[in-house]
Amino acid sequence: MSPDAHLTLLTIGAVFATLIFTRVSADLVLAAAMAVLLVLGVLTPEQALVGFSNPGVLTVAVLYVIAAGLKQTGAVRWLADQLLGVPRSARGAQFRLIAPTAGLSAFMNNTAVVAMFIPAVQEWSRRLGLSASRLLMPLSYFAILGGTCTLIGTSTNLVVDGLIQSTSGDALGLFELAWVGVPLILVGSIVFLLIAHRFLPDRGGLMQQMESAREYSVDMRVPEASFLAGKTIVEAGLRNLAYGYLMEIERGGRLMSAVGPETVLEAGDLLRFIGEPRCADEVRSIRGLAPANGGSEKLALESHRRCLIEVVLGPDFPGLGKNVRDARFRSNYGAAILAISRRGERLKGKIGDIRLQVGDTLLLEGSPDFVDQYRFRRDFLLVSLLNDAGRIDHRKAPLSALILVGMVLLNVVGLLSVFESALVAAGAMLATRCVTSTQARRAIDYQVLTVIAASFALGQAMQVSGAADSIAGLILGDASLHPWVALALVYLITAIMTELITNNAAAVLMFPIAVALANQLDVSFMPYAITVMFAASASFLSPIGYQTNLMVMGPGGYHFTDYLRTGLPMTLAVGSTVVGLVPLIWGF
């Protein structure tokens, strides 16, 4: 290998190590790698910045605006309510999720679909008396499968299409991937309903779910001058709460876990209540008690502006690994943490001492403006204002849905390209006020776009330095592999990389290797490129492999092993289908 190839592989190795073993955000890591390759002379400025002008990357940015319009008008939630219905069993409910989830994910970013469906599915599971853990993982899986059906279903498809255009000048049609994507939905759904669903955890029914995945502890204190001091639990009105119960009292460093109705309160007592999110509002309304965490009472908000918000921490939340006190959440975000749950279990102890992790579910008190400001930020995977129904303009739901249909038709009839039709649709969303300019700007995930564009630079370096050809030669060895065997290896390596780093980065890094492998086998590179596209999107084995899997982890109360057990049959079925079908359609 040439010196440039060694430098490229060393840089990519450092990228892998940093992404896997540190908490540095992916956009910073990949942008730094791009800069290193540029400064070392491996890439020219034009080669390093090629991703920032790629049509696929720009289309991803525009689609964020369209998804925001559909979200702000409630079109997705309305469609979900119409199609979900009232099934008689958990498997029936899982079956009813397939059409709306996969169908919508085919035409808009599947991350946005899952974000909008999570609260709807949680409420649906309560009405049915089912555990949400039986429904939220299939929601993520069906969204992933739906995203493989069209060119705009997931950003990975657009990214690989952009690479194909730069390599051969050819572009995929909007529905060309459906030849494999639709069979994947059928195969994946059958395997899930017959086999994989057996491995889903059942973390309890309606009441158990209230006390697990959405159970919180809320700490209140009896101030020095409180009139409740000297009163019993019954006299203070703390005995029969509607949404929770008094679990324990901490007094002078001593914990009183068996709190009887005649226990007398004293000034300075710390009272720990357990219950669902509305318990926080209930105990805060009790005169004579004050929040114990020193957070919400310091918010500069009038009482009528305060509301409860539920968020799930994302991988780019800056306070990961820090305790709540050091993360300065209230100062940075203008909201107070009332309680924290992790993987469906209530976290005990003082809130200020809890170290925050990706996937933690936080119950916050803040203003409705918090939702508008952070709903589209990467700090949080999910931002949900409790009792949010009144904040959506449902009157424009049919209009936003019509704009989406128009975008698809403009491309299908050949009037405009995917990028051009997306631009027209985004403009229509703004012109009709389905989404405001402020909401549109916030909806665009600039960190994801930076990751994708910077990944293009690494892919370019793999090609121009000869590193891709060298890796392809190592895969082939001295023997001449059958093209089908080589295709299976490409799928396997891409799938493993996706579980370790971002799906888009995995696709861009594997693309030049796949092309070099096809060239050395003297076959068409198209089936290998398409295989990379599907392998990078179909991630079922871990919560970190695909963002929708991580989004449902907290609300569903899942553990890492739940994904391994449930995702293994899905991975085997989807991988076999892709490797079997792709050569039949695109040919070697």
Side-chain angles (χ1 to χ4, degrees):
M1 283 191 291
S2 67
D4 282 356
H6 282 105
L7 287 173
T8 299
L9 293 178
L10 281 173
T11 303
I12 291 174
V15 168
F16 269 81
T18 306
L19 290 175
I20 294 171
F21 298 112
T22 73
R23 295 190 180 277
V24 181
S25 62
D27 59 321
L28 291 178
V29 173
L30 288 161
M34 177 185 69
V36 167
L37 293 171
L38 176 61
V39 171
L40 293 177
V42 177
L43 294 174
T44 65
E46 292 77 12
Q47 291 170 332
L49 300 175
V50 67
F52 291 92
S53 61
N54 185 274
V57 180
L58 298 176
T59 305
V60 172
V62 177
L63 288 175
Y64 277 121
V65 178
I66 298 169
L70 292 165
K71 187 171 186 176
Q72 291 298 326
T73 58
V76 176
R77 288 287 295 273
W78 176 83
L79 184 61
D81 291 339
Q82 301 302 310
L83 297 179
L84 293 181
V86 186
R88 298 182 179 179
S89 65
R91 197 143 50 138
Q94 292 159 0
F95 176 78
R96 285 179 180 255
L97 275 176
I98 297 172
T101 308
L104 284 167
S105 295
F107 297 104
M108 60 183 292
N109 188 285
N110 46 23
T111 302
V113 172
V114 171
M116 288 180 271
F117 263 63
I118 285 176
V121 170
Q122 285 177 318
E123 180 60 32
W124 190 44
S125 67
R126 293 188 198 105
R127 293 201 309 264
L128 298 176
L130 296 172
S131 169
S133 64
R134 305 290 292 174
L135 300 176
L136 289 177
M137 192 181 291
L139 169 68
S140 174
Y141 285 178
F142 297 147
I144 290 172
L145 292 172
T148 65
C149 284
T150 68
L151 193 60
I152 61 174
T154 176
S155 59
T156 307
N157 295 353
L158 289 164
V159 168
V160 177
D161 180 58
L163 291 168
I164 292 172
Q165 290 183 48
S166 64
T167 301
S168 66
D170 297 326
L172 294 172
L174 181 63
F175 291 107
E176 193 170 347
L177 298 175
W179 292 106
V180 177
V182 172
L184 280 188
I185 293 177
L186 296 175
V187 170
S189 300
I190 291 170
V191 169
F192 186 90
L193 294 174
L194 293 181
I195 302 173
H197 81 97
R198 302 174 189 273
F199 303 105
L200 280 175
D202 189 348
R203 302 261 146 77
L206 175 61
M207 295 308 296
Q208 291 82 0
Q209 183 69 8
M210 287 291 192
E211 296 171 1
S212 58
R214 292 176 61 83
E215 178 182 79
Y216 299 93
S217 66
V218 183
D219 292 348
M220 304 293 288
R221 189 174 296 280
V222 180
E224 291 296 331
S226 175
F227 73 95
L228 293 182
K231 294 184 178 294
T232 66
I233 298 298
V234 173
E235 292 170 341
L238 305 178
R239 183 61 179 169
N240 296 308
L241 300 175
Y243 301 110
Y245 61 93
L246 178 61
M247 184 182 72
E248 58 193 20
I249 297 177
E250 186 176 321
R251 178 179 297 167
R254 184 169 59 91
L255 197 64
M256 303 167 57
S257 55
V259 182
E262 301 304 320
T263 301
V264 177
L265 297 173
E266 295 182 7
D269 281 353
L270 185 146
L271 313 181
R272 182 158 292 128
F273 296 88
I274 299 300
E276 58 173 293
R278 283 176 290 182
C279 176
D281 258 354
E282 184 177 21
V283 297
R284 282 188 65 260
S285 66
I286 298 174
R287 196 163 59 93
L289 293 182
N293 56 21
S296 62
E297 75 276 8
K298 296 181 181 178
L299 291 176
L301 292 174
E302 299 176 9
S303 59
H304 71 277
R305 292 275 296 156
R306 295 173 183 251
C307 61
L308 291 179
I309 305 160
E310 206 169 31
V311 301
V312 177
L313 298 186
D316 293 323
F317 178 72
L320 295 178
K322 299 179 181 178
N323 60 37
V324 171
R325 188 181 305 104
D326 294 339
R328 299 177 59 82
F329 189 95
R330 177 173 50 81
S331 301
N332 293 331
Y333 292 93
I337 301 176
L338 299 180
I340 303 173
S341 69
R342 180 174 297 157
R343 293 190 294 272
E345 297 177 0
R346 173 176 48 84
L347 296 186
K348 300 179 180 180
K350 294 181 178 179
I351 289 178
D353 295 332
I354 295 175
R355 291 192 176 275
L356 299 170
Q357 298 180 10
V358 172
D360 282 355
T361 306
L362 277 57
L363 179 67
L364 309 178
E365 183 178 49
S367 75
D369 295 336
F370 180 96
V371 180
D372 293 331
Q373 186 173 357
Y374 294 105
R375 176 171 280 168
F376 301 111
R377 286 270 296 271
R378 288 278 291 174
D379 302 48
F380 308 107
L381 295 175
L382 179 70
V383 177
S384 177
L385 176 63
L386 301 184
N387 300 321
D388 193 21
R391 296 180 56 78
I392 295 177
D393 187 1
H394 293 279
R395 295 172 300 174
K396 292 186 178 180
L399 178 59
S400 64
L402 187 63
I403 292 172
L404 177 66
V405 172
M407 180 189 76
V408 174
L409 290 177
L410 284 173
N411 180 257
V412 170
V413 301
L415 290 176
L416 298 174
S417 68
V418 172
F419 178 53
E420 291 167 340
S421 60
L423 278 176
V424 171
M429 288 285 188
L430 288 164
T432 57
R433 303 290 293 176
C434 288
V435 61
T436 66
S437 58
T438 301
Q439 291 167 339
R441 281 191 291 268
R442 289 175 178 169
I444 299 174
D445 197 328
Y446 297 100
Q447 289 179 304
V448 169
L449 297 177
T450 302
V451 167
I452 299 172
S455 297
F456 271 76
L458 301 189
Q460 282 279 82
M462 293 278 285
Q463 286 180 309
V464 300
S465 69
D469 290 325
S470 300
I471 293 175
L474 288 174
I475 293 174
L476 289 175
D478 295 328
S480 180
L481 292 179
H482 189 281
W484 232 309
V485 177
L487 195 73
L489 283 174
V490 167
Y491 187 96
L492 178 63
I493 295 171
T494 307
I496 292 173
M497 287 176 63
T498 298
E499 301 296 347
L500 298 176
I501 60 175
T502 67
N503 53 332
N504 288 314
V508 174
L509 289 176
M510 273 303 298
F511 183 86
I513 297 174
V515 171
L517 194 59
N519 290 336
Q520 292 187 23
L521 290 172
D522 196 23
V523 295
S524 169
F525 80 93
M526 277 300 290
Y528 293 87
I530 299 298
T531 297
V532 167
M533 183 184 290
F534 282 105
S537 297
S539 173
F540 307 103
L541 288 173
S542 78
I544 60 175
Y546 205 86
Q547 188 166 331
T548 58
N549 288 341
L550 188 59
M551 289 169 67
V552 301
M553 188 177 186
Y558 298 118
H559 301 159
F560 195 96
T561 52
D562 295 329
Y563 291 91
L564 286 175
R565 289 194 301 266
T566 311
L568 184 59
M570 294 289 292
T571 300
L572 294 175
V574 169
S576 301
T577 304
V578 170
V579 173
L581 283 180
V582 166
L584 299 179
I585 297 166
W586 281 275
F588 287 121

